[in-house]
Amino acid sequence: MTNHVSKSEMERFNLSALPQTELNSISEHLTTCQACYQLFVEALRREKGSTGLRFTIEPEVLLRDEHLEYEQLVGLADNTLDATDREIIDAHLSVCATCQERVRSFVTFKDELEPELRVRYGPAARQPQRKKVFWTDWWSGLAWKPAYAAAVVVIGIVLVIGVALFLKHRSDNLEAWQKQPDVKIGAPTQTPTPKSQSARNALPTPVPVPSEQLPRRAPSPALTVRNQEGLKSLENVGVVAALNDERGKVTVDKAGNVSGLDEIPQNTRQEIGEALLAENIKARAKQTELGGGPIVLRGPDNSPTFRLRSPARTVIISDRPSFEWEKLAGANSYRVSVGDLRGHEIVKSEELPADQTRWTSPTSLKRGEIYVWEVEGTIDGKKIVSPGTSAPQMKFKILSESSALELEKLKQVRSHLALGVFYAREGMVAEAEHEFQILVRDNPHSLVLKKLLKEIQSWLDIERK
């Protein structure tokens, strides 16, 4: 690498937002170039700030990212954890709202499901057996009650007479049947009178079976499987996307609610949910304003013979941007001009030597504003301006103060998903592409992430034209 590293490239280098080949090239260049190394130190100092390193060994902080597993939820609900595990889990639950909600949902689901798992299919209690009554005891009881004894004797006599009459009637019918003449062939036959329907339907009363002899049916296999699946899918009820992020698992339900990123602002969580549900990321900010258009800061009408490199129709973080352009063959000097959209010149460089193709603004520009810039090259007194009058303006925007503060907070959360959505919203397309490339690498089977990355890359193709 022969050229020096621009300030814009150095900022992207610190964020690892450049292709791997450029990252390797710049790293090698920093070992031999003192000026670029100093630029790297300054960019790193601006990014990290002067705040000292602080850390804590409190268990609540150290365990904040150790989310509960399914086995730990079961042990917590059944109160089977040992003292050490329970102490660790209690420390994590004190700072993790996500796991608190998971424990609450798990216990509620267990309480609702437990009665169904306790289904029984036989009598709950054993029926007491009746005490056997012996005839001697019964008859001795009647001996002490003469009236009962007389009634029993009368009933016995009646039964004997009834049985005798029944047998006599049966013998008469049999004798009459035997005396009937023989039936000849061809003679009409009489169909015997069928018994009454009630007689045919009369069935013996079944004998009760003792409860201990009844077979006990096991719970339905389908019910058991359904209950087990319900326990296993407790965490996935209503979940439409579950992604691996640097800080842990991030899920989105059907309503667009995001879990696992409780520390980021609500508007960013809402944008993440909308993007994953719609499989379409919000269009980058000021896309039309960063496009082409006539420029007031123009030199003579010459076709450009060299190209401006960066910043190119994008949003940058630093309010003191570095401008970089390609070398113009035969140029004796360069001059950089920066203006606003109203055509007012904001800052202009001194005459730069022919071997210099990068210049950093000595003054800070106003945040949240869009600027245009051009480079004037001189060849033997002839002025050549890039971009030319037939080319679109080269614009850039400086990140607003509020967005810069939000970005600092998001970097502390360490979420590629949150940073990717933020960069896309603010128009920092190259940075958004870098974050989603990491997400696709960590979630190789996620079709929605691949679709969002492809959409962002289409913005880059437009930006580079």
Side-chain angles (χ1 to χ4, degrees), residues 115-164:
E116 187 177 0
L117 296 176
R118 293 178 177 175
V119 173
R120 300 188 64 182
Y121 296 90
R126 182 176 178 179
Q127 297 179 354
Q129 295 182 354
R130 293 183 178 180
K131 182 178 179 181
K132 295 182 179 180
V133 180
F134 294 94
W135 287 101
T136 55
D137 297 337
W138 178 72
W139 181 256
S140 63
L142 291 178
W144 291 95
K145 299 178 180 179
Y148 290 168
V152 169
V153 172
V154 174
I155 292 174
I157 295 174
V158 172
L159 289 176
V160 171
I161 295 174
V163 170

Side-chain angles (χ1 to χ4, degrees), residues 327-346:
K327 185 178 180 64
L328 174 62
N332 306 116
S333 63
Y334 300 100
R335 191 181 296 272
V336 181
S337 298
V338 183
D340 58 21
L341 294 180
R342 296 179 294 275
H344 301 149
E345 186 176 86
I346 303 301

Side-chain angles (χ1 to χ4, degrees), residues 191-310:
T191 304
T193 304
K195 297 181 179 180
S196 65
Q197 185 69 23
S198 60
R200 289 202 311 268
N201 294 336
L203 297 175
T205 303
V207 179
V209 180
S211 60
E212 62 272 12
Q213 298 181 9
L214 290 175
R216 294 187 179 274
R217 296 173 54 190
S220 170
L223 176 63
T224 304
V225 172
R226 184 170 64 251
N227 293 335
Q228 292 176 351
E229 291 178 349
L231 290 173
K232 293 180 179 178
S233 61
L234 175 63
E235 302 176 6
N236 297 325
V237 176
V239 173
V240 297
L243 305 174
N244 295 318
D245 204 353
E246 181 180 355
R247 63 174 290 107
K249 183 75 71 176
V250 177
T251 60
V252 180
D253 62 18
K254 295 180 180 179
N257 300 316
V258 178
S259 301
L261 294 175
D262 300 334
E263 301 175 20
I264 69 173
Q266 174 61 29
N267 64 320
T268 306
R269 289 205 306 271
Q270 183 177 354
E271 290 174 357
I272 292 173
E274 293 174 354
L276 294 178
L277 286 179
E279 299 184 358
N280 180 31
I281 201 162
K282 185 179 293 185
R284 59 194 178 111
K286 304 293 184 182
Q287 184 173 5
T288 57
E289 295 185 14
L290 292 177
I295 185 170
V296 177
L297 302 176
R298 279 290 188 263
D301 186 13
N302 298 99
S303 299
T305 57
F306 64 105
R307 186 171 63 91
L308 306 185
R309 297 182 62 181
S310 66

Side-chain angles (χ1 to χ4, degrees), residues 13 42 83 138 219 242 277 315 323 330 354:
F13 174 78
E42 294 176 358
W138 178 72
L277 286 179
V315 180
F323 303 91

Side-chain angles (χ1 to χ4, degrees), residues 11 28 55 73 76 89 131 160 191 196 225 227 237 245 273 294 343 372 384 452 454 465:
E11 291 176 353
E28 183 178 355
F55 66 93
L73 289 176
L76 189 63
I89 291 176
K131 182 178 179 181
V160 171
T191 304
S196 65
V225 172
N227 293 335
V237 176
D245 204 353
V372 295
I384 299 178
L452 296 180
K454 186 175 181 180
K465 291 181 180 180

